Amino acid sequence: MSTGLDDTRSSALFERAVAVLPGGVNSPVRAMKSIGRDPLFIERGLGAEITDVDGNSFTDYVCSWGPLILGHAHPAVVEAVTAQLAKGSTFGAATEGEVELAEEVSRRLPSVEMLRMTSSGTEASMSAVRLARAVTGREAVLKFAGAYHGHVDGLMAEAGSGLATAGVPGSPGVPAAAAAATIVVPWNDPDALAAACAKHQFAAILAEPVPANMGLVPPASGFLELLRELADVNGAILIFDEVISGFRVSGGGAQELFGVQPDLTVFGKVLGGGLPAAAYGGRRDLMEHIAPAGDVYQAGTLSGNPLAVAAGLATLKLLDDEAYLRLSATTERLASGMRQAAGDCPVKVVTQPGLMTVFFSADEVTDYASAQQTDRDKFAAWCRALLARGVYAPPSQFEAWFPSLAHDDETIDRTLEAASAAFAEIA
Ligand SMILES: *Cc1c(COP(=O)(O)O)cnc(C)c1O
């Protein structure tokens, strides 16, 4: 297929990949199926730029789906990880870095008095739900349609991210009992939320406070406050999944930005600075139920891995107030330029600091149902046109762009020129 790109070597690799990796990839959204092409194989990245195996360079707005808030191969991260690697990569024993990282997270987020590290966001959200069930003695969990909390059995119902991209409502292989314990409610719908809370006793109310896996769909005014209030009335543990929003929308995540404190928070992505690290944490009285302090079991061979901790600490160290102001300004420059570039093409450009989605829709997108009304064919054509012009955007309407601190004004302006031409091409 003609894509305006020389992808000879990527195509050859993809042919080998599909023989040994399901769909040729190790995570579904990498496949680029939904924008009608095969994946590019990436060889290296530096700052805001990635280069594929055919030598094509792109401005990267995927940034590994969120972790790379400093951009690729940031010198401080490279140095921290290299120094740790020379001292040993993993011990399966306690290290100083883990304590420092937990203290740093706790300093930024008052709601997080203690935390436990894991290697993926999936593990962290699974474990937070286990803890909520253990302390409440209840099983039912409320989640929102279009929210993604990793590929946990019970949490894939009407999930966003790759499930939304593939257009599947859940997954085969999930036990009926696991699915039945999950009650799904539309995002930003106070009446549906109140009705579900009146009907069920929940172990947990689980939300992405700034949902970014059905595209970016921020909370309506007062909605997070309502979650807090109804969780308290219901006796449920309020869990914020800040795997994307944490350390991105502000230094203290969405809970700081919106001023609503959860009982437990799930972290990932930025926390590991590009290496596999995630965590769940919150109120001390809850977290002390986790083994070996308490009897709720959860463990991990590579949890708190020294390389990942070094990358996370090096990243957080650079995320001061000035960095967040700069990331916000970058996001705003990108978003306002994008609205202009779109011209007559009906789009809605939605932003939060460090996040953006361009919905191909004439109407506002407020929940999963309205996100599904977007023009996916147009989006796909626009994405391919961007790729041909050196802009690597998330290849799904149900994902957010991840501008980083490595994206300077000149980079953004080049992106906007490409976007403008891509809009003209698909008009
Ligand atoms: C990415 C993501 C997860 C899952 O994290 P993994 O490290 O991919 O398992 C969970 N929740 C949210 C909100 C995410 O964006």
Side-chain angles (χ1 to χ4, degrees), residues 119-123 125 148-151 208 213 241 243-244 269 278:
S119 296
S120 71
T122 296
E123 280 175 88
S125 65
Y148 180 66
H149 304 292
H151 56 96
E208 288 180 72
N213 283 296
D241 180 345
V243 169
I244 283 179
K269 299 196 169 119

Side-chain angles (χ1 to χ4, degrees), residues 107-378:
R107 189 180 67 70
R108 286 168 176 259
L109 294 97
S111 78
V112 181
E113 295 175 312
M114 303 183 96
L115 66 78
R116 165 61 59 83
M117 292 190 72
T118 63
S119 296
S120 71
T122 296
E123 280 175 88
S125 65
M126 175 184 80
S127 306
V129 167
R130 179 183 299 147
L131 173 59
R133 286 180 167 143
V135 298
T136 59
R138 302 170 173 182
E139 286 198 359
V141 170
L142 184 149
K143 83 172 278 286
F144 292 96
Y148 180 66
H149 304 292
H151 56 96
V152 180
D153 271 353
L155 302 179
M156 283 193 288
E158 291 184 55
S161 191
L163 289 107
T165 305
V168 294
S171 174
V174 172
T182 308
I183 307 299
V184 185
V185 167
W187 178 244
N188 278 335
D189 184 338
D191 296 338
L193 176 63
C197 287
K199 191 163 165 206
H200 303 275
Q201 291 200 313
F202 290 113
I205 293 179
L206 175 58
E208 288 180 72
V210 174
N213 283 296
M214 51 178 141
L216 181 62
V217 186
S221 170
F223 195 65
L224 295 183
E225 287 82 350
L226 184 65
L227 283 184
R228 177 70 274 175
E229 186 187 321
L230 289 179
D232 288 341
V233 171
N234 192 273
I237 302 295
L238 180 61
I239 307 176
F240 278 178
D241 180 345
E242 297 227 42
V243 169
I244 283 179
S245 56
F247 316 112
R248 175 169 288 275
V249 298
S250 87
Q255 53 195 271
E256 178 181 68
L257 193 64
F258 290 90
V260 176
Q261 305 297 307
D263 301 303
L264 294 174
T265 303
V266 182
F267 302 99
K269 299 196 169 119
V270 172
L271 181 72
L275 272 79
Y280 61 106
R283 277 166 41 198
R284 183 180 309 280
D285 64 304
L286 298 177
M287 292 305 293
E288 280 183 335
H289 286 272
I290 300 295
D295 59 0
V296 179
Y297 198 75
Q298 185 268 316
T301 301
L302 292 178
S303 294
N305 171 260
L307 298 179
V309 166
L313 275 172
T315 299
L316 291 183
K317 210 168 163 184
L318 292 174
L319 296 176
D320 53 13
D321 291 346
E322 188 273 333
Y324 287 106
L325 285 175
R326 198 148 54 81
L327 186 61
S328 280
T330 299
T331 313
E332 268 321 301
R333 187 183 189 92
L334 179 64
S336 60
M338 201 57 86
R339 289 182 190 107
Q340 277 190 341
D344 293 336
C345 183
V347 299
K348 290 279 179 279
V349 180
V350 180
T351 60
Q352 289 285 301
L355 294 167
M356 177 185 78
T357 294
V358 180
F359 285 115
F360 279 68
S361 167
D363 304 315
E364 300 293 339
V365 174
T366 56
D367 58 11
Y368 192 38
S370 45
Q372 286 178 316
Q373 297 304 311
T374 51
D375 187 339
R376 246 83 58 72
D377 291 338
K378 250 215 161 121

